[in-house]
Amino acid sequence: LLRGVDSLIIKGNLTDRGGCGGVSGADVIFGIEGTSITCSGIDELNGTYNCTIDSTSLGTLPYGWHNVTMNASREFYLNNVSVKRERAFYLADDPELSNPQVSPSGGAWGTRFIFNVTLKDFDEDNKTVYLWFKKDGDWYLVDEKTFIGITPGAGANIGFIFDTACADIGFYQFKFNVTDTSGFRHEILGGTFEVTERNALLSIVAGENIKINREFDTKELAIRVFDTFTRSYPANVNVSFFTYDRNSNEIIFNTVTNSSGIASYLFDP
């Protein structure tokens, strides 16, 4: 039951021990153990009695499990009868998410994005928070984290890390939702962030303004790649050299940078 929202319907049965079936016409009192909350049972004339405790009364109780008692008496029966139902109902709090954030809001691939959201839920069940992205099509699940037990009064921060690669380039929406073990849910939209391409600076190492004898000469063409994101000269970067023959046909040579960030092409016209 959601505390302060749901009402509690209690039902109990009275049966004659002598085999005469259900007992109607009894005075039946239902109660919540350890409290002063009681209600009088309504006779359904078949041995079943019911009563409803409203949400306002239940809202005064603490979160968690509660026991229910039933006391019955009737004329011509010698003794009152009392029974107790252990852990008869659970008063739950519904989870709430607030303050969704991402930092930074944009960056080149390789950037680590941090996502945070505040969770509040004041009963003892477990709550699982999910992070979702939407890039081109449908929403898809990225990560999840479970918080166990009662959150602090101001809420608990739930954080996620997203380390990006070149395949992650694009513009994204993000959101969070949460489900607790009592079955209550909440969802909140977060906003947007963008993963962009990384800038590279190219410098000529060899081949600038050279002349090559077409009949018997070869010359090295080489460049060096500088990654402005990592401030380094990376290895294994794809590089393409483009040249043209006398008929303006394009000639392409593909290679990768070495451990010094240099890519070279031995040009033989």
Side-chain angles (χ1 to χ4, degrees):
L1 301 177
L2 188 58
R3 193 184 80 163
V5 175
D6 294 329
S7 298
L8 174 66
I9 298 174
I10 307 174
K11 284 194 173 187
N13 247 336
L14 282 181
T15 303
D16 187 277
R17 290 180 177 176
C20 294
V23 178
S24 61
D27 293 322
V28 175
I29 302 295
F30 296 100
I32 299 176
E33 188 178 44
T35 76
S36 60
I37 298 174
T38 61
C39 62
S40 297
I42 298 173
D43 189 352
E44 297 183 8
L45 304 179
N46 58 3
T48 299
Y49 296 78
N50 75 78
C51 80
T52 299
I53 298 177
D54 61 42
S55 59
T56 301
S57 298
L58 294 178
T60 65
L61 301 178
Y63 296 108
W65 288 104
H66 295 274
N67 303 331
V68 168
T69 60
M70 176 182 176
N71 182 273
S73 62
R74 191 186 186 284
E75 187 180 11
F76 305 121
Y77 284 82
L78 294 178
N79 299 313
N80 293 354
V81 61
S82 296
V83 293
K84 178 171 67 174
R85 176 73 176 268
E86 300 279 353
R87 295 166 68 91
F89 67 96
Y90 184 88
L91 281 182
D93 188 25
D94 53 340
E96 178 187 2
L97 297 173
S98 63
N99 196 28
Q101 296 181 357
V102 59
S103 179
S105 59
W109 68 266
T111 298
R112 169 172 284 188
F113 290 85
I114 307 296
F115 297 85
N116 290 289
V117 68
T118 300
L119 168 67
K120 289 183 179 179
D121 192 333
F122 301 129
D123 67 16
E124 295 181 349
D125 61 3
N126 299 336
K127 321 90 176 51
T128 301
V129 179
Y130 303 89
L131 171 64
W132 300 78
F133 288 171
K134 184 178 182 180
K135 185 180 179 184
D136 300 315
D138 297 330
W139 289 98
Y140 61 93
L141 180 64
V142 178
D143 200 359
E144 63 184 70
K145 289 189 176 180
T146 297
F147 186 93
I148 298 174
I150 303 170
T151 62
N157 181 72
I158 309 297
F160 299 88
I161 293 174
F162 178 49
D163 288 319
T164 56
C166 61
D168 299 314
I169 293 171
F171 186 81
Y172 294 80
Q173 299 178 63
F174 71 96
K175 69 177 181 179
F176 302 93
N177 55 35
V178 57
T179 302
D180 65 17
T181 48
S182 298
F184 297 106
R185 302 178 71 255
H186 186 234
E187 180 169 289
I188 188 170
L189 292 175
T192 61
F193 69 101
E194 186 174 15
V195 181
T196 60
E197 296 179 346
R198 278 156 60 158
N199 293 323
L201 299 177
L202 306 181
S203 57
I204 297 175
V205 175
E208 185 175 17
N209 296 323
I210 62 171
K211 294 182 179 180
I212 305 175
N213 189 310
R214 185 164 54 88
E215 297 297 328
F216 55 84
D217 204 1
T218 59
K219 293 289 185 181
E220 181 187 29
L221 307 178
I223 63 167
R224 195 177 195 193
V225 178
F226 179 72
D227 188 330
T228 59
F229 180 81
T230 60
R231 310 297 298 176
S232 65
Y233 297 97
N236 298 315
V237 174
N238 295 321
V239 175
S240 296
F241 289 89
F242 296 85
T243 61
Y244 296 87
D245 64 18
R246 68 175 68 185
N247 297 316
S248 299
N249 295 315
E250 187 177 65
I251 301 172
I252 304 174
F253 176 75
N254 298 315
T255 186
V256 296
T257 56
N258 61 20
S259 60
S260 299
I262 296 173
S264 62
Y265 168 36
L266 191 63
F267 181 60
D268 183 358

